[in-house]
Amino acid sequence: MTKKKSGLVLLILSMVYAAVIALLAVSGSGALTVVAIAGGALLGIGWATVGYLGAQKS
């Protein structure tokens, strides 16, 4: 997967994550905290990995 493509995939996943968090917040779900922490951690690791590997190839 190229750097540009992996960045695009993570951008789309970030938007989906934001929509899910918004829907959980509006609905008053008790799972909001768990989903926010887990999703944020996974997305953060993903972005950090893409950034690190992108810097290695440059």
Side-chain angles (χ1 to χ4, degrees):
M1 186 177 286
T2 64
K3 181 180 175 182
K4 187 175 182 179
K5 191 173 186 179
S6 59
L8 180 62
V9 167
L10 276 172
L11 180 65
I12 292 169
L13 285 175
S14 295
M15 290 178 182
V16 170
Y17 169 71
V20 168
I21 294 300
L23 288 172
L24 288 174
V26 169
S27 68
S29 175
L32 176 64
T33 304
V34 174
V35 173
I37 291 172
L42 291 174
L43 280 173
I45 290 169
W47 279 111
T49 303
V50 168
Y52 178 76
L53 293 177
Q56 295 296 319
K57 291 181 181 178
S58 297

